[in-house]
Amino acid sequence: MSGLQTRLLGEILGIRAIDCHSHVPHELPHARSLWDLLGHHYYTELAHSAGMPAGAVDPGRSEAERIGEMVARLDTLSNTVQYGWLMEAARELFAFGPERLTPQNWRDLARAVAEAGRQEGRYRAVLAKANLEKVFLTNGFDENLEAVDRTVFVPCLRTDDLVFKLGDAQVRHRLAVKTGIEIGSTGDLRDAAQWLMQYFVRHGAASAAVSLPPEFAPREPDEAAAAAALGRALKGKELAAADADALAVFALDAVASACRQFRKPLQLMLGVIRNVYPAGVPGGRDLPSKQGSLMAYADLFRRFPEVDFTVSVLSTAWAHELAAFAWIFPNVKPSGHWWYANIPAHIEYDLRARLEAVPQVKLIGYYSDMYKVEFGLPKFNMYRRILARVLAREFVETGRMTEAQAVDTARLLLRENPRRIFGV
Amino acid sequence: MSGLQTRLLGEILGIRAIDCHSHVPHELPHARSLWDLLGHHYYTELAHSAGMPAGAVDPGRSEAERIGEMVARLDTLSNTVQYGWLMEAARELFAFGPERLTPQNWRDLARAVAEAGRQEGRYRAVLAKANLEKVFLTNGFDENLEAVDRTVFVPCLRTDDLVFKLGDAQVRHRLAVKTGIEIGSTGDLRDAAQWLMQYFVRHGAASAAVSLPPEFAPREPDEAAAAAALGRALKGKELAAADADALAVFALDAVASACRQFRKPLQLMLGVIRNVYPAGVPGGRDLPSKQGSLMAYADLFRRFPEVDFTVSVLSTAWAHELAAFAWIFPNVKPSGHWWYANIPAHIEYDLRARLEAVPQVKLIGYYSDMYKVEFGLPKFNMYRRILARVLAREFVETGRMTEAQAVDTARLLLRENPRRIFGV
Amino acid sequence: MSGLQTRLLGEILGIRAIDCHSHVPHELPHARSLWDLLGHHYYTELAHSAGMPAGAVDPGRSEAERIGEMVARLDTLSNTVQYGWLMEAARELFAFGPERLTPQNWRDLARAVAEAGRQEGRYRAVLAKANLEKVFLTNGFDENLEAVDRTVFVPCLRTDDLVFKLGDAQVRHRLAVKTGIEIGSTGDLRDAAQWLMQYFVRHGAASAAVSLPPEFAPREPDEAAAAAALGRALKGKELAAADADALAVFALDAVASACRQFRKPLQLMLGVIRNVYPAGVPGGRDLPSKQGSLMAYADLFRRFPEVDFTVSVLSTAWAHELAAFAWIFPNVKPSGHWWYANIPAHIEYDLRARLEAVPQVKLIGYYSDMYKVEFGLPKFNMYRRILARVLAREFVETGRMTEAQAVDTARLLLRENPRRIFGV
């Protein structure tokens, strides 16, 4: 690593970042046991893909047994960046010395995790060490947000159920319980979306979010078609594909309208197909598809100029379109590197392209997507290293930025842009 | 930068290049004011995307006001390669010293541009400094080419209106005025295409060009369908999509036939969707789509083996297909790095892949696509730096070329190939 | 090249590799003349693409004439990696000194090739020098495997004809001659696939293989539709597209079932469109398409969990999907870098992404796809150099692996994984 890159990295590590997308459970944000880390789908799905039977980590078995199964197979995946996150977390957060986790040494780490997990406010210490100021949550629409520690966490209204599962009576029931609105019409749906957005904003939420399949095409909703579909759902009928689509298009519009009303961004997570591999371990059954195009979203971006859409794409095949759309549409903000694209090879290429083509005030550099706060440090540090490398090699060494300007740009990506865009 | 790379770059900067695609207006080729540079859609679209209202640069306002609006916002996009072009042009062509353009210093640059703009033959001095021997123009079919300075400019027959707008009576009228041919039949269309090509070739044109949307599929035209569509257009009817397509397929065939007859290449610019964002600033409303495939063009390449197709793709998703087609089809010549793909990250990757897989005599390295000659220097120099880097790192350091061979290859890409392929 | 990279490359060159896919003809595995090398479609197609008439290498002309035509044009393609393979083979296997092959010196190389070609067991010496322990063949279903030298070669049942050409009476006849089974029903088809797999396994085969067009979608076969299609074929009718598809879907299922029964992997080569350019030289008429998606194969992967699918993709647009599927599906194993993707730019990017995201025990690093054993050395050495570079720069220098671990990973990719997955 060049001296320049080392200096840039030092500065970048010192930037207090905002993490605008995670799945941290606010009531149990940090690990209480090694299984809370190793049982993450990052690891179980890779171990399963490398030959471990899904039953080896069945919840019916003891944590020690499950950990033993996993640790015995870590060699098969020790090349992956996910494994790198685990070992960096072990070293930096639990003072774990060995460079590999083995059947011989895992109990030392397990003990350290359990001990740290009992510390009062451990998650705040972990986030401080990761230099993360705020971490966004992903909250179901009927989650109770009263107890969220808003000194570090920011709620986010996840709307997947609202958009895609209104045909399910159970979802409508949960909605009625939460909002007091029995969904009998499309108007009720708009009201419910508004009610939820208001509730969330009152409890500190800074955005809504939704993940969408690659072939979905949001458009001006056909309210009559949506009403007819809703009518059939209310009569307990299984919705045909066209009905389900009409209803989803309408519901997404209602969500976007609520975002407009409350001046909050809508996080779009594009390109995931759910349950492609049903025999996989929990969390490890969804996959990206290269099909589809951001062009399908142009209409949404045009109809809601007042709403910031922070957009993540699951397939790297969409990365160029995302940068191009952000280059032209004021309300399209590329956001981080998501899931199957959260790999250094892709981050480095896509980040360089975004930095070369998109106004720097529009880029949300990174978010962790983590399930426990412990992963914030290694994931953000991976990103910080790549950012330092790209800024050093492509911007400072080529004379396009001074060293100080490169640090300013990094500050925008890690901190200032998410603060401004989400208003936190 | 290694010593090797520095030496290669020195040699490459010394190669007098041919720029086979630009939008330079031949009657006003160089900037007369700073607005001629800063008002370019490269900048206004990025500033707008970063938050500037479109009205800030309304032509009703004075140039100074518009420049002020833009300069006040340059910080938002100072990371982009487009900004880099501006500052390199300012430094190299106008001896502007500061490393940033600011509200405090822009009047110095404005004065220098205005002064230089008054020099007789300024554009020739600018092109000499950029080490560009010839610059191709993009000419509407009814442009008068008598006054073109053919010592540096090469006309090019742009056929987009001819291919896609024949349904428009105004376009047919312009065609009749120019060629003397009233379009009453498909035969007239072929005659008009021929007439235009002959006129253009007589005035020094070296090619025709057309930009095509990503889902367009040229094929053996159905002349009866085209005639029927034309008949409806002549009666003043709005053309249905199928009619418009039949007519466009026929017209593209007529253009390719004219190219064959006059032994001129046809420049294909593939993958743009027009007016995706109508609320954007002028020039900043079109976008690439990753959809579609070069496979749709295989039939065209097969039917016109005598025509060289110099092909540019707007979406990087098409880059691999382009290299593969050029590897197999004698008449497919990859051409430069266009618009949304004209970003160092993409140029570097795509250039390396082309150099590793396509015969070097077939590659047109770069063109500027510029609107004023001042952008030729920074755009070509950006490419020259990337070319030097790729040749140094991937070819000379790995032992696949000597340093002298690398310079020979660079000379083919920048000069000898466009000269031979276009016959200039 | 850094000291680290040099040391890693030294270790990696010392790994005895398994080459799991080639087109080496087992009865004539090594070159007897320079034309056996230079007449390869790698070279004739590039020379043709660069302007050589197809007739220049007409088999009716003498080898010396054909070689003369090719050598006269090598300058046009001396930048390509394919040319690099030729020169590395010439230097390393035939002690050819000059750095370019020219009209003046090619007879020296021709003499050296002819002389070496007469040596007893020459191919074994060539493979030893390339440090290749085993090379897989590609065998037609009715090839006689008795004489295969199984000390170095491993047969592979190529099933393209079986899957896509059952409508052709000639293919059914060849099948009957080989297996003794007259195809009169879908049951016969299953029996024939089984019979062939058994025959191949008895003769040392380690897998079956099939190449598939980008839009093909394997799925649960409709046996009635397949039977009806077969019935029409048996009556001598040309099959409509839907019939041909039903039959191909059924036949692929029969092949996968035979793989399951004999516990052998099925090599899937995805994304080629045949005969896109019929006027090309032999072997140089097929092209990749970016269209299609691995998602079309999810059903196949789900239905045959016991079968390892070693998957190669022809279009780099599919590379990200392949890594993602391998990350989740236990039976998906990314395999090498195929044909139009077998270019250093693509290998380096795709290899890095796979190494960062897919368990290392699942990656088949490389195969040669060669037609004569002489190409094994330069192709594998190209890969070894890229592997050393990626491991050095992205894994060891960044602290994610030690040097020894990097060599272990390389050993998995080049040797241990193909050995384990194919059981050789």
Side-chain angles (χ1 to χ4, degrees):
Chain A
M1 197 155 68
S2 70
L4 166 65
Q5 197 176 323
T6 305
R7 288 194 305 277
L8 279 176
L9 180 56
E11 294 286 338
I12 288 171
L13 287 167
I15 298 167
R16 203 154 178 75
I18 307 292
D19 180 357
C20 72
H21 195 88
S22 88
H23 297 265
V24 169
H26 69 87
E27 70 293 355
L28 280 171
H30 65 266
R32 311 287 161 140
S33 77
L34 178 53
W35 182 249
D36 282 349
L37 302 177
L38 209 50
H40 192 295
H41 78 83
Y42 302 159
Y43 303 103
T44 55
E45 70 198 21
L46 286 170
H48 176 55
S49 158
M52 181 185 78
V57 291
D58 187 282
R61 306 184 72 190
S62 74
E63 281 200 358
E65 283 175 309
R66 282 178 270 157
I67 293 171
E69 295 274 7
M70 286 294 297
V71 169
R73 290 171 171 94
L74 286 178
D75 274 355
T76 62
L77 53 93
S78 62
N79 57 299
T80 61
V81 69
Q82 293 92 330
Y83 182 85
W85 299 334
L86 180 72
M87 297 314 297
E88 185 165 351
R91 188 172 64 243
E92 299 297 326
L93 300 173
F94 303 102
F96 185 71
E99 66 181 18
R100 290 285 189 232
L101 190 63
T102 68
Q104 287 70 48
N105 67 24
W106 70 258
R107 285 170 199 280
D108 296 338
L109 181 59
R111 208 171 301 120
V113 175
E115 201 168 298
R118 286 190 293 270
Q119 291 164 15
E120 174 64 22
R122 165 70 178 169
Y123 63 93
R124 282 193 300 270
V126 169
L127 293 177
K129 178 120 188 181
N131 212 3
L132 293 176
E133 182 170 312
K134 296 277 188 191
V135 174
F136 284 40
L137 308 175
T138 291
N139 304 98
F141 66 75
D142 53 350
E143 226 173 283
N144 188 326
L145 303 176
E146 303 296 336
V148 170
D149 177 355
R150 286 166 56 180
T151 62
V152 288
F153 296 128
V154 180
C156 172
L157 172 60
R158 183 70 174 234
T159 63
D160 295 40
D161 284 357
L162 216 56
V163 171
F164 290 107
K165 296 198 176 159
L166 283 170
D168 180 344
Q170 193 54 37
V171 170
R172 294 194 305 274
H173 177 70
R174 284 167 47 207
L175 199 51
V177 168
K178 180 70 179 183
T179 66
I181 301 170
E182 294 277 353
I183 303 294
S185 70
T186 49
D188 295 336
L189 246 175
R190 289 210 179 269
D191 290 346
Q194 257 180 51
W195 191 101
L196 289 173
M197 202 64 192
Q198 183 165 49
Y199 172 86
F200 266 73
V201 169
R202 271 197 202 138
H203 290 79
S207 62
V210 61
S211 82
L212 299 151
E215 306 280 14
F216 186 73
R219 55 201 181 277
E220 182 84 54
D222 176 341
E223 188 144 358
L230 183 61
R232 279 187 274 280
L234 292 172
K235 288 181 192 142
K237 294 185 183 160
E238 180 93 22
L239 290 187
D243 274 347
D245 185 58
L247 201 49
V249 165
F250 181 85
L252 181 63
D253 199 79
V255 168
S257 298
C259 286
R260 178 169 54 197
Q261 188 178 343
F262 292 92
R263 309 231 157 257
K264 294 297 171 198
L266 179 53
Q267 302 197 23
L268 298 180
M269 324 290 288
L270 304 181
V272 62
I273 300 188
R274 301 287 175 187
N275 216 28
V276 177
Y277 178 51
V281 297
R285 296 165 184 170
D286 309 333
L287 278 167
S289 162
K290 63 181 271 293
Q291 305 297 68
S293 165
L294 204 51
M295 206 49 79
Y297 289 81
D299 181 70
L300 181 71
F301 302 148
R302 284 189 296 255
R303 285 192 298 116
F304 291 92
E306 314 85 348
V307 176
D308 271 338
F309 295 94
T310 64
V311 181
S312 300
V313 292
L314 194 59
S315 165
T316 59
W318 290 48
H320 183 240
E321 279 190 346
L322 177 53
F325 273 68
W327 165 339
I328 291 297
F329 275 97
N331 57 339
V332 175
K333 313 275 157 93
S335 184
H337 303 271
W338 183 36
W339 200 352
Y340 291 104
N342 186 21
I343 293 298
H346 304 309
I347 297 171
E348 185 168 329
Y349 186 80
D350 295 345
L351 169 61
R352 178 180 173 192
R354 289 182 196 172
L355 278 173
E356 289 174 339
V358 182
Q360 59 185 350
V361 295
K362 302 186 69 183
L363 299 172
I364 294 174
Y366 194 68
Y367 55 79
S368 72
D369 209 24
M370 64 187 168
Y371 286 62
K372 290 287 175 190
V373 293
E374 281 80 2
F375 289 107
L377 182 142
K379 291 180 111 177
F380 262 87
N381 283 0
M382 169 191 72
Y383 179 76
R384 285 163 167 139
R385 288 182 202 109
I386 298 169
L387 182 57
R389 184 196 263 200
V390 169
L391 287 169
R393 291 185 185 177
E394 309 304 339
F395 291 84
V396 182
E397 285 177 18
T398 59
R400 280 158 55 196
M401 286 184 181
T402 65
E403 212 170 314
Q405 288 163 349
V407 175
D408 288 345
T409 296
R411 190 172 295 110
L412 287 170
L413 269 60
L414 284 164
R415 177 176 177 81
E416 299 306 334
N417 292 344
R419 286 185 69 184
R420 180 178 5 89
I421 291 166
F422 292 106
V424 295
Chain B
M1 196 155 66
S2 69
L4 166 65
Q5 197 177 323
T6 305
R7 287 193 307 276
L8 279 177
L9 180 56
E11 295 285 340
I12 289 171
L13 288 167
I15 298 168
R16 203 154 178 75
I18 307 292
D19 179 358
C20 71
H21 195 89
S22 88
H23 296 265
V24 169
H26 69 89
E27 69 294 353
L28 281 170
H30 65 267
R32 311 285 162 142
S33 78
L34 178 53
W35 182 249
D36 282 349
L37 303 177
L38 209 51
H40 192 296
H41 78 81
Y42 302 159
Y43 302 104
T44 54
E45 72 199 19
L46 286 170
H48 176 55
S49 158
M52 180 185 77
V57 290
D58 187 281
R61 306 184 73 191
S62 74
E63 281 200 359
E65 282 175 309
R66 283 178 269 158
I67 293 171
E69 294 275 6
M70 287 293 298
V71 169
R73 289 171 171 96
L74 286 178
D75 273 355
T76 62
L77 53 92
S78 62
N79 57 300
T80 60
V81 69
Q82 292 93 328
Y83 182 85
W85 299 334
L86 180 71
M87 297 315 295
E88 185 166 352
R91 189 170 65 243
E92 299 297 324
L93 299 173
F94 303 101
F96 186 70
E99 65 181 19
R100 291 286 189 231
L101 190 64
T102 69
Q104 287 70 48
N105 67 25
W106 71 258
R107 284 170 198 278
D108 297 337
L109 180 59
R111 208 171 301 120
V113 174
E115 202 168 299
R118 285 189 294 271
Q119 290 165 14
E120 174 63 24
R122 165 70 179 168
Y123 62 95
R124 282 195 300 271
V126 170
L127 294 177
K129 177 121 188 180
N131 212 4
L132 293 175
E133 182 171 311
K134 296 278 187 190
V135 174
F136 284 40
L137 309 174
T138 291
N139 304 99
F141 67 75
D142 52 350
E143 224 173 284
N144 188 326
L145 304 177
E146 303 297 333
V148 171
D149 177 354
R150 285 166 59 181
T151 64
V152 288
F153 295 128
V154 181
C156 172
L157 172 59
R158 182 67 174 240
T159 64
D160 294 41
D161 284 358
L162 215 56
V163 171
F164 290 108
K165 297 198 175 159
L166 284 169
D168 179 342
Q170 192 55 36
V171 169
R172 294 195 305 275
H173 176 71
R174 283 168 47 209
L175 199 50
V177 168
K178 180 71 179 182
T179 66
I181 300 171
E182 294 278 352
I183 302 295
S185 71
T186 48
D188 295 337
L189 247 174
R190 289 211 180 269
D191 290 347
Q194 256 180 48
W195 191 100
L196 290 172
M197 202 65 190
Q198 183 166 47
Y199 173 85
F200 267 72
V201 169
R202 271 196 202 140
H203 290 79
S207 63
V210 61
S211 82
L212 299 150
E215 307 279 14
F216 186 73
R219 54 199 182 278
E220 182 84 54
D222 177 340
E223 188 146 357
L230 183 60
R232 280 187 274 280
L234 292 173
K235 287 181 192 143
K237 293 183 183 162
E238 182 93 22
L239 291 188
D243 274 347
D245 186 58
L247 201 49
V249 165
F250 181 85
L252 181 63
D253 200 79
V255 168
S257 298
C259 286
R260 177 169 55 197
Q261 188 177 344
F262 292 92
R263 309 229 158 259
K264 294 296 171 201
L266 179 52
Q267 301 197 24
L268 298 179
M269 324 290 287
L270 304 181
V272 61
I273 301 188
R274 302 286 176 187
N275 216 28
V276 176
Y277 178 52
V281 296
R285 297 164 183 170
D286 309 332
L287 278 166
S289 162
K290 64 181 269 294
Q291 305 297 69
S293 165
L294 206 50
M295 206 49 80
Y297 289 80
D299 181 68
L300 182 70
F301 301 149
R302 284 189 295 256
R303 287 191 297 116
F304 290 92
E306 313 85 348
V307 176
D308 271 339
F309 295 94
T310 64
V311 182
S312 300
V313 293
L314 194 58
S315 165
T316 61
W318 291 48
H320 183 240
E321 280 191 345
L322 177 53
F325 273 68
W327 164 339
I328 291 297
F329 274 96
N331 56 340
V332 175
K333 315 275 155 94
S335 184
H337 303 270
W338 183 35
W339 198 350
Y340 291 104
N342 187 21
I343 293 299
H346 304 309
I347 297 172
E348 185 168 328
Y349 185 80
D350 296 343
L351 169 61
R352 177 180 174 192
R354 290 181 196 172
L355 277 173
E356 290 174 339
V358 181
Q360 59 185 350
V361 295
K362 302 186 69 183
L363 299 171
I364 294 173
Y366 193 69
Y367 55 80
S368 71
D369 210 25
M370 63 188 169
Y371 286 63
K372 289 287 176 190
V373 293
E374 282 79 2
F375 289 107
L377 182 142
K379 292 181 110 177
F380 263 87
N381 284 1
M382 168 192 72
Y383 178 75
R384 286 163 166 139
R385 287 183 203 110
I386 298 168
L387 182 57
R389 184 195 263 199
V390 169
L391 287 169
R393 291 186 184 175
E394 309 304 338
F395 290 85
V396 181
E397 286 177 17
T398 59
R400 282 159 54 197
M401 285 184 183
T402 64
E403 211 169 316
Q405 287 163 349
V407 175
D408 288 345
T409 296
R411 191 173 294 111
L412 286 171
L413 269 61
L414 284 165
R415 177 177 177 79
E416 300 305 335
N417 292 344
R419 284 185 71 185
R420 181 178 5 89
I421 291 168
F422 292 107
V424 295
Chain C
M1 195 156 67
S2 70
L4 166 65
Q5 196 176 324
T6 306
R7 287 193 307 275
L8 280 176
L9 179 56
E11 294 285 338
I12 288 170
L13 288 167
I15 297 168
R16 203 155 178 76
I18 306 293
D19 180 358
C20 72
H21 195 88
S22 88
H23 295 267
V24 169
H26 69 89
E27 69 293 353
L28 280 171
H30 65 266
R32 311 286 161 142
S33 78
L34 178 53
W35 182 250
D36 281 349
L37 302 177
L38 209 51
H40 191 296
H41 77 82
Y42 301 159
Y43 303 104
T44 55
E45 72 199 21
L46 286 170
H48 177 56
S49 158
M52 181 185 76
V57 291
D58 188 281
R61 306 185 73 191
S62 73
E63 282 201 357
E65 283 175 309
R66 282 179 269 158
I67 294 172
E69 294 274 7
M70 287 293 298
V71 169
R73 289 171 172 96
L74 286 178
D75 273 355
T76 63
L77 53 92
S78 62
N79 57 300
T80 62
V81 70
Q82 293 92 331
Y83 182 84
W85 299 335
L86 179 71
M87 296 315 295
E88 185 166 353
R91 189 171 64 243
E92 298 298 323
L93 300 173
F94 303 102
F96 185 70
E99 66 181 17
R100 291 286 188 233
L101 190 63
T102 68
Q104 286 70 49
N105 67 25
W106 71 259
R107 284 171 199 278
D108 297 338
L109 181 58
R111 209 170 300 121
V113 175
E115 202 169 298
R118 285 189 293 271
Q119 290 164 16
E120 174 64 25
R122 165 69 178 169
Y123 62 94
R124 283 194 299 269
V126 169
L127 294 177
K129 177 119 190 183
N131 212 3
L132 294 175
E133 182 171 310
K134 297 276 188 192
V135 174
F136 285 39
L137 309 174
T138 290
N139 305 99
F141 66 75
D142 55 348
E143 227 174 283
N144 188 325
L145 304 176
E146 303 297 334
V148 171
D149 177 354
R150 287 167 56 180
T151 63
V152 287
F153 296 128
V154 181
C156 172
L157 173 60
R158 183 68 174 238
T159 63
D160 294 41
D161 284 358
L162 216 56
V163 171
F164 290 107
K165 295 197 178 160
L166 284 170
D168 179 344
Q170 193 55 37
V171 170
R172 295 195 306 274
H173 176 70
R174 284 168 47 207
L175 199 52
V177 168
K178 180 71 177 182
T179 66
I181 301 170
E182 294 276 354
I183 303 295
S185 71
T186 50
D188 294 337
L189 246 175
R190 290 211 179 268
D191 291 346
Q194 256 181 49
W195 191 99
L196 289 172
M197 203 66 190
Q198 183 166 46
Y199 172 86
F200 267 72
V201 170
R202 270 198 203 138
H203 290 80
S207 63
V210 61
S211 83
L212 299 151
E215 305 279 13
F216 186 73
R219 54 200 181 277
E220 182 83 56
D222 177 340
E223 187 146 1
L230 183 60
R232 279 187 275 280
L234 293 172
K235 287 182 192 142
K237 294 185 183 161
E238 181 95 20
L239 290 187
D243 274 347
D245 185 59
L247 200 50
V249 165
F250 182 85
L252 181 64
D253 199 79
V255 167
S257 298
C259 287
R260 177 169 55 198
Q261 187 178 343
F262 292 93
R263 309 231 158 259
K264 295 297 171 199
L266 179 54
Q267 301 197 24
L268 297 179
M269 324 289 288
L270 305 180
V272 62
I273 301 188
R274 302 286 175 187
N275 215 28
V276 176
Y277 178 50
V281 296
R285 295 166 184 168
D286 309 332
L287 278 166
S289 162
K290 64 180 269 294
Q291 305 297 69
S293 164
L294 205 50
M295 207 47 81
Y297 289 80
D299 181 70
L300 181 72
F301 302 149
R302 285 189 296 256
R303 287 191 297 115
F304 291 92
E306 313 86 349
V307 176
D308 272 339
F309 294 94
T310 63
V311 181
S312 301
V313 292
L314 194 58
S315 166
T316 60
W318 290 49
H320 183 242
E321 280 191 346
L322 177 53
F325 273 68
W327 165 340
I328 291 297
F329 275 97
N331 56 341
V332 175
K333 314 276 156 92
S335 185
H337 303 271
W338 183 36
W339 199 351
Y340 291 105
N342 186 23
I343 293 299
H346 304 309
I347 296 172
E348 185 168 327
Y349 185 79
D350 296 343
L351 169 61
R352 178 180 173 191
R354 290 182 196 172
L355 276 172
E356 289 174 340
V358 181
Q360 57 185 351
V361 295
K362 302 187 68 183
L363 299 171
I364 294 174
Y366 193 68
Y367 55 80
S368 71
D369 209 24
M370 63 187 168
Y371 286 62
K372 290 288 176 188
V373 292
E374 281 80 1
F375 289 107
L377 182 143
K379 292 180 110 176
F380 262 87
N381 283 2
M382 167 191 73
Y383 179 75
R384 286 164 166 138
R385 287 183 203 110
I386 298 169
L387 182 57
R389 183 195 264 198
V390 170
L391 287 169
R393 292 185 183 175
E394 309 304 339
F395 291 84
V396 181
E397 284 177 20
T398 59
R400 281 158 54 196
M401 287 184 181
T402 64
E403 211 169 317
Q405 287 164 348
V407 175
D408 288 345
T409 295
R411 190 173 293 111
L412 287 170
L413 269 60
L414 284 164
R415 177 178 177 79
E416 299 306 334
N417 292 344
R419 285 185 70 184
R420 180 177 7 88
I421 291 168
F422 293 106
V424 293

